[in-house]
RNA sequence: GGGCUCAUAGUCCAGGUCGGUUAUGACGUCGCCCUUACACGGCGAAGAUCCGGGGUUCAAAUCCCCGUGGGCCCA
């Protein structure tokens, strides 16, 4: 009989037609029912090409979750969103148009950002679709849409009214040339020449002096403590003693801290507000009171005494002279110091306390811990990342940013008395360009207001994604059916941010957990094991890879290479060679397509054997799918299909299936079993490689989509367990092949080998397979 | 500096909870073979002191301790 499939290999071009069929058939459409399975899909950020291959692997696997759930009979809601708020697009836009954000009119700058996002987004959606992602693209959302930003602002206003938000000073990176705070991402480090001053400090009530080396002697007036390493025996006897700061004569305590390096300078370090980020951490950890020594104008403040009004660099030169005159200076050294400078202005940044808004989180930590316990983590070990983070939180969450492309903080201040006013929730507000919706100041009755110019930290937006997708505040009935959602899939590196902030915000707003399960994936590393990033230049663009090898190849690679939860390496050659397995599957199907599909048949020994092995395979796949660990089924299916089914079973029953020298009953048993096994493999593989399984399924078994089928849960109708024979069967076949080889016989030549007694039930199949005499 | 995590052939990976045959499979390499599903294939071969050191044990890739190295997150 002619095979129904004539082509000799899987052609990834077919994926395009299949995509079209899915789209036209709307086979993944969602209508809410009483019981739903909602995926809180991570909205990817379009931050410029290439979208990295690790992300493509990540989304492929999220789709496998959706497909697994669907085949398990769940009503799957799989929203698709695009995250568009934040710094990266601002930097991208500045670079693309060679402009500076703060020198461009705000509205104009926002438009340029939006255009850039639109282009990048279109490509990203194309990649997701081509990967076969079965999400709801028709209703995809954007985190910068009016609807989304309304939600961010409304939830903020709600928390503001509950007293969860406050203003406080905290140290910020400040670029006094541009007159603005800058994000950590905008800082670069340069080795700049500077003087390292060795300054003598007197220990109070002793004759001893400590010499401290510092690159920032002008900050002596802001010195709050001296630290030494706890292991440093030179200072053991002075711990807890007072030390007198030269010039200012302030008395500060000498204490221990592990961050002081014994081998640097004298081993003692002065801690000032703020010489560097380490000082910031120490002030926070040791709960020191800060002294503001440098003002927003970039000059020394009045606490610097006679140095007030000088720029830090001038003050440094002068204070070194004064230290020398007064005998406090041991020596100076010229060194190259790794200095944080503003990427834009190239001037050293200063760390200066500034007023920012904070969202209270410290009081919520216990609640979040309990909430975390209610959530199942896949894999369980990654729950620890959250728990460790909860242990180490020691400040509230700073939520305001001096940026443009983000959700505006909805506050207006009274011009007369500065009283802040928040508007009613339910609308999207832009205080930097809109009139205050409140007519009179609640405090002084004045009618003049000025709008807040700052935006929110982007996690303020991202952290309400479960509320947005479940239509919180927009559709109560829908919300009740969908929230709490079912699963949050996300990458490991943002457990402390996205996962944690979502728990925090959703708890604050709804009092409930946002999802029942969290699914945490590792990072995509390059061939050498380094994290891929655009700046390192080691990121692989997924688009050409997918175009060349096809989505299913890419997806199967992703499943078979990534053990869930662990980091994984990406290698293009490996991806390409994964295609071989799909070829194998294709050709097995091509062979089977020459036989009619038979609903039942009498089973013979070989049939019972392969069906027993199939039973094991089904069990193994279920184990993996239950955990959403696709590595397990991918490896098991490849192993079974290639090394047992194709290599041994098909060879053993080929003669029987053709019916040469076999009865009809014997022939039908083989044909039935062949189709039984292949159709089961296709279903087991459908969540991982949705295209090729769909194609083969439709050609061989049904007009209906395989993605509407229920997953095989067990294969127990064949009670006799024949898996005990597996080893002997494969060894016997191998022996015959070797025997023929050593006698330089062709495989079709006949040979005299006797079948072991144990395997006598299989002897007729063996005889036909090997042409045994 | 703190935390998490990993270490098995040229490369990737399984096994590790619960110690016990010859350490799994794939990619790559090499040799032979067009055998009517497949040369994007078949058969076969070579290739691993399971990171180092110590301990527990009749027995350790596996359990315990101490190192070393990589990765990521935080500071």
């Amino acid at each position: 009989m002619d095979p129904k499939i004539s082509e000799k290999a899987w052609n990834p071009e077919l994926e395009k037609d299949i995509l079209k069929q899915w789209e036209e058939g709307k086979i993944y459409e969602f209508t809410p029912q009483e019981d739903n399975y909602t995926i809180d899909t991570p909205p990817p950020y379009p931050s410029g090409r290439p979208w990295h291959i690790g992300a493509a692997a990540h989304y492929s696997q999220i789709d496998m979750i959706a497909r697994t759930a669907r085949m398990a009979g769940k009503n799957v809601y799989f929203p698709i969103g695009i995250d568009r708020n934040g710094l990266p697009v601002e930097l991208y836009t500045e670079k693309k148009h060679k402009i500076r954000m703060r020198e461009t009119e705000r509205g104009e700058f926002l438009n340029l950002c939006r255009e850039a996002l639109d282009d990048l987004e279109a490509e990203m959606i194309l990649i997701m679709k081509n990967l076969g992602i079965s999400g709801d693209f028709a209703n995809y959302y954007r985190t910068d849409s009016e609807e989304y930003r309304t939600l961010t602002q409304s939830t903020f206003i709600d928390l503001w009214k509950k007293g969860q938000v406050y203003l406080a000073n905290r140290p910020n990176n400040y670029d006094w040339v541009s007159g603005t705070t800058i994000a950590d991402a905008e800082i670069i480090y340069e080795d700049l020449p500077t003087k390292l001053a060795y300054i003598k400090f007197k220990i109070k009530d002793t004759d001893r002096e400590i010499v401290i080396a510092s690159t920032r002697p002008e900050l002596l007036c802001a010195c709050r403590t001296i630290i030494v390493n706890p292991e440093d025996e030179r200072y053991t006897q002075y711990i807890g003693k007072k030390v007198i700061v030269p010039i200012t004569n302030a008395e500060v305590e000498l204490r221990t801290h592990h961050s002081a390096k014994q081998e640097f300078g004298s081993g003692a370090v002065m801690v000032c507000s703020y010489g560097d980020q380490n000082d910031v951490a120490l002030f926070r950890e040791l709960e020191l009171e800060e002294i503001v020594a440098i003002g927003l104008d970039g000059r020394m403040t009045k606490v610097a005494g006679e140095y007030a009004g000088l720029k830090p660099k001038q003050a440094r030169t002068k204070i070194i002279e004064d230290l020398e005159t007064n005998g406090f200076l041991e020596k100076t050294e010229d060194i190259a110091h790794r200095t944080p400078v503003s990427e834009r202005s190239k001037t050293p940044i200063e760390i200066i306390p500034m007023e920012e808004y904070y969202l209270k989180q410290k009081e919520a930590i216990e609640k979040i811990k309990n909430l975390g316990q209610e959530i199942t983590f896949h894999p369980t070990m990654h729950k620890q990342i959250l728990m460790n983070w909860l242990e180490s939180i020691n400040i509230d969450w700073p939520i305001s940013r001096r940026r443009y492309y983000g959700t505006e903080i909805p506050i207006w201040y009274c011009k007369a008395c500065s009283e802040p006013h928040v508007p009613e929730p339910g609308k999207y507000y832009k205080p930097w360009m809109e009139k205050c919706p409140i007519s009179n100041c609640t405090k002084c009755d004045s009618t003049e207001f000025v709008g807040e110019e700052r935006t929110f930290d982007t996690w303020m937006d991202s952290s309400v994604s479960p509320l947005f997708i479940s239509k919180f505040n927009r559709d109560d009935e829908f919300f009740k059916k969908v929230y709490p959602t079912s699963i949050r899939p996300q990458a490991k590196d943002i457990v402390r941010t996205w996962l944690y902030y979502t728990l925090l915000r959703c708890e604050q707003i709804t009092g409930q957990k946002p999802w029942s399960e969290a699914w945490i994936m590792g990072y995509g590393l390059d061939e050498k094991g380094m994290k891929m990033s655009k700046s390192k230049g080691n990121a692989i663009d997924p688009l050409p890879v997918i175009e060349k090898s096809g989505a299913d190849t890419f997806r199967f690679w992703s499943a078979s290479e990534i053990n869930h939860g662990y980091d994984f390496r990406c290698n293009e050659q490996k991806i390409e060679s994964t295609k071989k397995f799909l070829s194998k599957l294709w050709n097995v199907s091509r062979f089977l397509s020459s036989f009619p599909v038979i609903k039942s048949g009498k089973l013979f020994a070989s049939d019972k054997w392969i069906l027993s092995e199939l039973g094991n395979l089904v069990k193994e796949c279920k184990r993996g799918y239950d955990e959403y660990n696709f590595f397990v089924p991918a490896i098991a299916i490849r192993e079974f299909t290639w090394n047992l089914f194709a290599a041994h079973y098909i060879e053993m029953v080929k003669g029987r299936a053709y019916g040469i020298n076999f009865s009809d009953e014997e022939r039908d048993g083989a044909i039935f079993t062949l189709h039984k096994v292949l159709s089961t493999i296709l279903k087991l593989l459908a969540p991982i490689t949705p295209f090729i399984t769909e194609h083969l399924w439709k050609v061989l078994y049904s007009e209906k989509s395989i993605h509407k089928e229920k997953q095989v849960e067990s294969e127990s109708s064949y009670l006799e367990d024949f898996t005990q024979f597996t080893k002997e069967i494969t060894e016997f076949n191998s022996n015959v092949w070797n025997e023929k080889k050593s006698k330089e016989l062709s495989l079709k030549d006949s040979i005299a080998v006797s079948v072991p007694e144990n395997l006598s039930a299989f002897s007729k199949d063996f005889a036909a397979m090997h042409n045994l005499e």
Side-chain angles (χ1 to χ4, degrees), chain A residues 709-727:
Chain A
E709 290 289 316
K710 262 201 102 185
Q711 188 55 278
V712 192
E713 295 263 298
S714 69
E715 197 54 67
S716 55
S717 40
Y718 315 98
L719 294 171
E720 283 171 282
D721 183 10
F722 273 43
T723 53
Q724 50 179 313
F725 297 113
T726 301
K727 204 176 169 207

Side-chain angles (χ1 to χ4, degrees), chain A residues 474-509:
Chain A
R474 306 203 311 281
D475 182 339
D476 286 348
E477 208 175 310
F478 191 95
F479 179 73
K480 268 188 216 143
K481 285 181 180 167
V482 163
Y483 191 90
T485 66
S486 310
I487 193 165
R488 154 65 70 82
Q490 65 159 75
K492 189 168 97 184
D493 50 350
I494 52 175
V495 168
R496 292 162 172 225
T497 47
W498 195 35
L499 189 133
Y500 164 69
Y501 286 136
T502 307
L503 284 175
L504 176 72
R505 296 261 279 141
C506 292
E507 200 285 329
Q508 284 175 331
I509 294 158

Side-chain angles (χ1 to χ4, degrees), chain A residues 560-612:
Chain A
S560 63
E561 193 81 5
I562 304 173
N563 199 351
H564 178 55
Y566 294 94
D567 299 347
F568 55 95
R569 298 192 187 193
C570 302
N571 181 322
E572 285 182 74
Q573 191 222 330
K574 266 265 171 82
I575 297 171
E576 180 62 22
S577 55
T578 307
K579 211 170 165 184
K580 291 184 169 189
F581 172 67
L582 298 189
S583 256
K584 194 74 202 177
L585 182 69
W586 179 268
N587 279 299
V588 166
S589 307
R590 187 164 101 99
F591 172 63
L592 290 215
S593 75
S594 26
F595 304 104
V597 178
I598 298 175
K599 293 265 182 272
S600 66
K602 185 171 181 235
L603 300 178
F604 296 86
S606 310
D607 310 329
K608 288 176 184 172
W609 166 66
I610 199 68
L611 289 169
S612 304

Side-chain angles (χ1 to χ4, degrees), chain A residues 157-172:
Chain A
I157 293 165
D158 184 36
L159 294 173
W160 171 279
K161 288 181 172 170
K162 285 181 182 159
Q164 295 289 308
V165 180
Y166 64 91
L167 258 180
N169 261 312
R170 80 165 181 144
N172 263 285

Side-chain angles (χ1 to χ4, degrees), chain A residues 353-384:
Chain A
M354 300 185 80
E355 270 205 330
E356 299 293 351
Y357 282 104
Y358 285 77
L359 181 63
K360 289 184 187 171
Q361 62 177 354
K362 285 196 284 188
E363 299 142 39
I365 287 173
E366 282 309 312
K367 263 192 228 161
I368 304 297
K369 271 188 200 164
N370 294 336
L371 218 53
Q373 293 305 348
E374 287 177 34
I375 293 163
T376 308
F377 276 68
H378 305 280
T380 36
M381 69 175 177
H382 286 334
K383 185 182 273 193
Q384 204 53 40

